[in-house]
């Protein structure tokens, strides 16, 4: 189990070090789109997990791997649509493709697996889409 995460949340406005994976997951599960809208967790210089939003029970989940080369992914429903949705992140409204706005109850188990293993894996019902940054 990976228990040496660095974590920043907009609720605390501070970076915490040596955080256990389940503590990060608890913060993600509490995203509400109001006072808790961002959790950024990093494991060494290897990976970053950013979960943002929470309003209307939807979140944006981003995963970045730094080794062997930098790769950036977003968790999606896999549906192709031109429809956009807004999420509140740190007090500002941001617009994303609706397929990127994942129900929090579906995101939590995927994030738990990520935090325990540092491997994005292949989640059921959802998929990782590579993103060019």
């Amino acid at each position: 189990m990976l228990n040496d995460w660095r974590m920043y949340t907009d609720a605390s406005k501070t970076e915490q070090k040596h955080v256990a994976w389940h503590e990060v997951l608890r913060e993600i599960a509490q995203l509400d789109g109001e006072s808790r809208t961002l959790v950024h967790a990093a494991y060494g210089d290897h990976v970053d997990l950013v979960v943002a939003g929470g309003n209307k029970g939807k979140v944006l989940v981003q995963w970045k791997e730094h080794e062997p080369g930098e790769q950036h992914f977003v968790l999606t429903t896999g549906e192709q649509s031109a429809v956009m949705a807004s999420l509140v992140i740190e007090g500002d409204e941001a617009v994303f493709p609706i397929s990127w706005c994942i129900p929090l109850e579906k995101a939590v188990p995927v994030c738990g697996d990520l935090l325990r293993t540092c491997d994005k894996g292949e989640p059921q019902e959802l998929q990782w889409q590579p993103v060019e940054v």
Side-chain angles (χ1 to χ4, degrees), residues 7-56:
M7 177 178 65
Y8 170 84
T9 68
D10 65 338
S12 71
K13 305 238 186 296
T14 60
E15 181 180 285
Q16 301 171 41
K17 296 182 179 180
H18 311 296
V19 178
W21 71 268
H22 65 275
E23 294 173 286
V24 178
L25 189 60
R26 180 177 50 228
E27 291 294 327
I28 292 168
Q30 294 176 357
L31 291 174
D32 61 13
E34 293 175 15
S35 62
R36 297 172 175 270
T37 65
L38 177 71
V39 176
H40 178 189
Y43 194 81
D45 294 330
H46 310 292
V47 295
D48 285 273
L49 172 65
V50 177
V51 184
N55 52 306
K56 298 180 185 164

Side-chain angles (χ1 to χ4, degrees), residues 70-87:
E70 190 165 297
Q71 298 178 67
H72 187 186
F73 302 91
V74 66
L75 192 61
T76 75
T77 62
E79 298 170 16
Q80 298 297 322
S81 172
V83 177
M84 303 295 275
S86 64
L87 296 173

